[in-house]
Amino acid sequence: MALTYTPPGELGSPCPDFTLPGVDGKTYSLKDFADAKALVVAFICNHCPYVQAIEDRFIALAKELTPKGVQFVGICANDPTDYPEDRPEELKKRWLEKRYGFPYLIDEEQEIARKFGAVCTPDFYVFNSARDLVYRGRLDDSWRNPERVKRQELKEAVLRVLAGQPPDPAQNPSMGCSIKWKKGD
């Protein structure tokens, strides 16, 4: 497990276009979420202890903000060769067990992760209604211990979008396991 931190986001950059299969058997594209007031894209996976530590809080946040017009999307870009927990059937199993409530997509070719510049799991992005990047950072200020959370930074970023406020330029990087790139890449 290689601990990796996300680089600063290029605020204002457009959301990369994507078309990916979901664990539910449907195919999703960026245009499918055109009506959302904000779009949250999270690169996640099953095996990473950092994702496991924040997963329930992320799911709860999605359930809280989805009714306000926010679309959440999870993407797994890991090569499952050495991480069988990240195989599509395992992703679907966890998606069902945890009742994610949002699409969980599979980036088997890892092309979309590269377009986004994703480096770790979890890696969070928030886009406004024009699909410009307004946030790239961590979920909150205590990945390991939910009782110690003082700032819900991802939630704050989304609420700023919904209120029509500009992004906060002070953004803290997310940290987690490096994306498991295919060998030779």
Side-chain angles (χ1 to χ4, degrees):
M1 170 176 71
L3 178 60
T4 304
Y5 290 87
T6 57
E10 292 181 36
L11 300 183
S13 61
C15 182
D17 198 10
F18 60 86
T19 300
L20 292 170
V23 299
D24 61 359
K26 299 177 186 174
T27 299
Y28 295 88
S29 297
L30 178 60
K31 66 181 179 205
D32 293 326
F33 311 118
D35 293 337
K37 296 175 185 173
L39 175 66
V40 177
V41 177
F43 285 84
I44 56 177
C45 67
N46 283 2
H47 87 274
C48 174
Y50 295 92
V51 173
Q52 293 170 5
I54 60 90
E55 183 178 38
D56 290 337
R57 284 179 277 164
F58 183 63
I59 294 167
L61 181 62
K63 288 181 179 172
E64 176 185 347
L65 295 179
T66 296
K68 298 178 189 276
V70 180
Q71 178 65 56
F72 285 72
V73 176
I75 299 175
C76 181
N78 281 351
D79 178 5
T81 303
D82 294 329
Y83 298 88
E85 306 99 314
D86 293 340
R87 291 190 320 246
E89 61 273 15
E90 294 300 317
L91 298 176
K92 180 178 182 178
K93 181 178 170 186
R94 188 169 190 94
W95 177 75
L96 290 169
E97 286 174 359
K98 290 283 191 171
R99 297 183 179 149
Y100 275 31
F102 53 84
Y104 194 6
L105 312 181
I106 303 164
D107 184 12
E108 184 178 350
E109 300 303 316
Q110 301 180 317
E111 176 186 330
I112 304 308
R114 291 186 196 286
K115 280 182 167 182
F116 272 81
V119 297
C120 65
T121 55
D123 200 342
F124 298 106
Y125 300 79
V126 177
F127 298 92
N128 62 19
S129 61
R131 295 304 173 256
D132 297 323
L133 183 67
V134 296
Y135 182 79
R136 182 177 185 187
R138 62 191 183 183
L139 179 69
D140 56 40
D141 61 355
S142 182
W143 73 270
R144 189 187 319 235
N145 189 340
E147 290 80 33
R148 291 192 177 162
V149 172
K150 291 183 177 64
R151 279 196 68 209
Q152 296 179 343
E153 295 161 52
L154 179 67
K155 180 179 180 178
E156 291 170 14
V158 172
L159 292 177
R160 289 178 77 93
V161 169
L162 296 177
Q165 298 173 343
D168 184 345
Q171 300 183 5
N172 296 298
S174 186
M175 66 179 200
C177 299
S178 61
I179 289 187
K180 306 310 178 213
W181 302 106
K182 293 180 179 185
K183 301 220 182 329
D185 285 357

